Amino acid sequence: MDSALFANLGWGIGLLVVLAIDIAALIVIPKGRKPTAAMAWLLLIFLLPLFGIALFLLIGNVKLPKKRRAEQARIDGIIRERVQSEKDSEADPDTWPIWFRRVAAQNEKLTSLPAVGGNRAELIPDYEASITAMAAAIDTAQKYVHVEFFIVSWDKTTEVFFTAMENAVKRGVTVRLLADHVASRKAVDQKKTFAELDRIGVIWSWMLPVQPFKGKYQRPDLRNHRKIVVVDGRTAFVGSQNLIDRSYNTPKNLKRGLKWQELVSRVEGPAVAEIDAVFQSDWLVETGVELTDERVPATALAPAGDLVCQLVPSGPAYETENNLRLFLSLIHGATERVIITSPYFVPDEAMVYAITTACQRGLEVQLFVSEIGDQGMVYHAQRSYYDALLEAGVRIFMYPAPFILHSKHFSIDDDIAVIGSSNMDIRSFSLNMEVSMMVLGSSFVAQMREVEQAYRDAGRELTLDEWRREPAKATFLDGVARLTSALN
């Protein structure tokens, strides 16, 4: 058999292998995946088969392992049973706008957590002040403290928080802490941080650990992005802020002078039981320990105000994108204005249509983003949406450098708002475990209006004329980044 025949045979086998890969990809990849994500994966595999397959095997599964999802479903069942025995804690739906009623019912169906009345919530827009407020609340703890953050770091800024935890432990208070495994291990001086937690007696655990040799593994970029503090089941904090200095202490950030701008809400009332339920669910999944003795039912919490609140946990442990459904429902129900703040704004088609359709309905729509970015690909992907948004009538406000506007919240009309850990991007919709708090109450929205005005005063508005003078090189990078963002 001559060399030409061998070569032809090799080419033939190669073509058959490529064809088999393409057929398999066409069968496997579109199943349960959005068309844009499926097309992005297929394009990558068709053009770069070996690289595309390797990447798909590494990060192609957008859900946590089946066992983990089954455990979340079991916990949701427990929460649902508790809710049935605590109906007195629910607000009166007859006083709500009918479309808000539908959204609350949707959230409860997806998460088992109902909307509850009698709450008070205070916004804290100052970075150091929010850490000080959390530390002060921990100083009042008598029974337990629950802490959950994407990033945990012991530094000069967070020292007051760590001191409060240490003093609480000395008083006999049980302090538990959850930290995302990948994000917190990447933080500067992370070994010192967790050695300090051990020294002061905090009981801590990793969230979503990537430890294949210990039998703990899932897609490595599926992360727990939640930020929660609960004290004695009576006071809680939720928002966008991690437990770390606002520069994140990295040489790159320090060189650029970057500082993170956040928004945190202190919560009192029956909604604290829901915030604690999210922590306790995560603790149960990660450690196997159910904290039944540390549960304060919503019915045991006296009304603290007139706000209706509902917690909406979301992420790859659920069968659907709970936060995306919440955001879309609220935007579609808006009648006057939609004001969004998101540091990483990379929406899917449904979100783009919801926002631009709101403009077409005659609503006032505003978007607050950072003037600069800390993550290059996300920053350019975000910019790729500006032209369509500005053309539709969205007003875009740029928060000035060297600040990274990391707050995550939005308001609907004058009486509904959402605050939490979730960005308006594909990662937060599909890949990260997030928690959002929906609030019905004009007093809370009035606080958020003050925060939004502070953003306007500090920054500047981006106009369509200015945007269209952007250099072609920059917009080319934006388009490429937008394509890669669909790989989820």
Side-chain angles (χ1 to χ4, degrees):
M1 194 175 289
D2 58 25
S3 59
L5 185 59
F6 271 117
N8 289 333
L9 183 61
W11 278 106
I13 293 173
L15 287 173
L16 287 174
V17 170
V18 171
L19 181 62
I21 290 172
D22 291 348
I23 292 172
L26 286 168
I27 294 171
V28 172
I29 289 175
K31 186 177 181 181
R33 202 176 298 270
K34 293 181 180 179
T36 50
M39 286 299 295
W41 276 114
L42 290 171
L43 183 62
L44 180 63
I45 290 172
F46 291 165
L47 294 177
L48 300 169
L50 295 179
F51 175 75
I53 291 170
L55 190 64
F56 183 78
L57 292 175
L58 181 66
I59 65 169
N61 186 0
V62 298
K63 294 296 180 185
L64 289 169
K66 188 175 181 180
K67 181 180 179 181
R68 177 89 182 219
R69 286 182 280 132
E71 180 66 1
Q72 183 66 60
R74 185 184 75 84
I75 292 170
D76 287 349
I78 294 172
I79 293 172
R80 193 174 294 111
E81 290 177 3
R82 290 175 179 172
V83 166
Q84 293 304 313
S85 65
E86 297 175 8
K87 284 292 184 180
D88 288 343
S89 68
E90 291 191 55
D92 180 8
D94 291 337
T95 63
W96 308 342
I98 187 168
W99 70 269
F100 179 85
R101 244 181 282 172
R102 303 302 184 204
V103 176
Q106 167 190 289
N107 294 337
E108 183 173 352
K109 182 175 182 180
L110 295 175
T111 70
S112 302
L113 294 169
V116 290
N119 302 289
R120 177 180 179 273
E122 171 196 1
L123 291 176
I124 309 173
D126 181 88
Y127 197 102
E128 284 78 13
S130 65
I131 291 179
T132 300
M134 288 185 277
I138 293 172
D139 284 337
T140 70
Q142 298 178 356
K143 296 180 179 179
Y144 68 86
V145 176
H146 292 160
V147 179
E148 178 172 343
F149 284 102
F150 181 58
I151 299 175
V152 174
S153 181
W154 178 42
D155 55 40
K156 290 182 179 180
T157 299
T158 63
E159 186 174 14
V160 63
F161 191 104
F162 277 71
T163 299
M165 290 193 294
E166 180 176 9
N167 291 337
V169 172
K170 289 178 178 177
R171 295 195 307 273
V173 174
T174 301
V175 181
R176 292 183 172 85
L177 182 144
L178 289 168
D180 183 77
H181 182 239
V182 172
S184 289
R185 281 183 65 95
K186 287 167 59 179
V188 174
D189 291 332
Q190 61 90 16
K191 289 184 178 180
K192 292 181 180 179
T193 294
F194 291 92
E196 178 67 4
L197 289 174
D198 288 335
R199 184 192 70 80
I200 65 181
V202 171
I203 306 168
W204 66 273
S205 175
W206 295 121
M207 295 186 291
L208 296 177
V210 181
Q211 299 169 320
F213 296 113
K214 296 183 179 181
K216 298 177 180 179
Y217 184 80
Q218 67 283 317
R219 173 175 168 171
D221 64 336
L222 300 182
R223 308 310 326 145
N224 193 318
H225 195 239
R226 295 168 182 159
K227 291 95 174 173
I228 292 171
V229 174
V230 181
V231 178
D232 287 344
R234 299 184 181 276
T235 303
F237 297 82
V238 294
S240 61
Q241 188 166 332
N242 287 298
L243 188 59
I244 192 171
D245 180 81
R246 69 186 308 182
S247 70
Y248 282 54
N249 296 315
T250 65
K252 179 180 67 175
N253 291 350
L254 293 170
K255 183 178 180 180
R256 296 178 64 189
L258 298 185
K259 296 179 180 180
W260 266 242
Q261 180 67 31
E262 307 285 1
L263 188 64
V264 172
S265 181
R266 176 189 172 114
V267 184
E268 296 174 333
V272 174
E274 295 199 349
I275 299 171
D276 207 18
V278 175
F279 174 90
Q280 294 199 28
S281 296
D282 287 343
W283 187 265
L284 174 57
V285 170
E286 298 296 358
T287 68
V289 177
E290 187 171 359
L291 305 178
T292 52
D293 295 336
E294 295 185 4
R295 190 179 73 85
V296 179
T299 48
L301 295 170
D306 60 355
L307 301 178
V308 176
C309 298
Q310 185 176 32
L311 270 291
V312 183
S314 58
Y318 292 92
E319 294 303 319
T320 188
E321 298 163 323
N322 300 344
N323 51 351
L324 176 58
R325 291 180 183 272
L326 165 65
F327 300 160
L328 290 174
S329 296
L330 290 178
I331 293 171
H332 284 305
T335 59
E336 295 180 12
R337 63 184 58 85
V338 176
I339 302 180
I340 299 169
T341 302
S342 180
Y344 311 118
F345 183 80
V346 187
D348 66 356
E349 295 98 323
M351 181 61 68
V352 172
Y353 269 73
I355 291 170
T356 55
T357 300
C359 288
Q360 292 162 357
R361 296 203 316 268
L363 275 65
E364 176 187 358
V365 182
Q366 298 180 16
L367 171 65
F368 292 98
V369 294
S370 294
E371 182 180 43
I372 58 174
D374 65 303
Q375 299 182 25
M377 292 299 289
V378 178
Y379 172 69
H380 282 287
Q382 172 176 294
R383 283 164 45 93
S384 72
Y385 292 91
Y386 289 173
D387 190 77
L389 295 175
L390 290 166
E391 194 170 57
V394 177
R395 297 180 67 189
I396 300 178
F397 293 89
M398 318 284 284
Y399 201 75
F403 295 96
I404 299 295
L405 183 59
H406 194 248
S407 305
K408 309 158 199 299
H409 54 88
F410 74 105
S411 56
I412 301 293
D413 299 338
D414 290 325
D415 53 0
I416 299 168
V418 174
I419 183 171
S421 66
S422 180
N423 298 303
M424 289 258 185
D425 71 349
I426 296 169
R427 167 163 291 281
S428 281
F429 297 153
S430 302
L431 306 181
N432 285 343
M433 297 177 71
E434 309 281 6
V435 63
S436 304
M437 183 174 73
M438 180 175 69
V439 182
L440 174 65
S442 58
S443 61
F444 186 77
V445 177
Q447 292 183 61
M448 195 165 282
R449 289 283 181 266
E450 293 181 6
V451 173
E452 294 161 353
Q453 187 58 49
Y455 295 162
R456 291 189 200 92
D457 293 342
R460 65 182 181 85
E461 185 170 358
L462 176 67
T463 66
L464 184 59
D465 287 342
E466 178 189 348
W467 177 249
R468 288 184 171 169
R469 292 195 297 270
E470 282 286 301
K473 178 182 178 181
T475 54
F476 170 77
L477 291 174
D478 298 343
V480 172
R482 180 168 176 166
L483 288 175
T484 61
S485 71
L487 293 173
N488 63 67

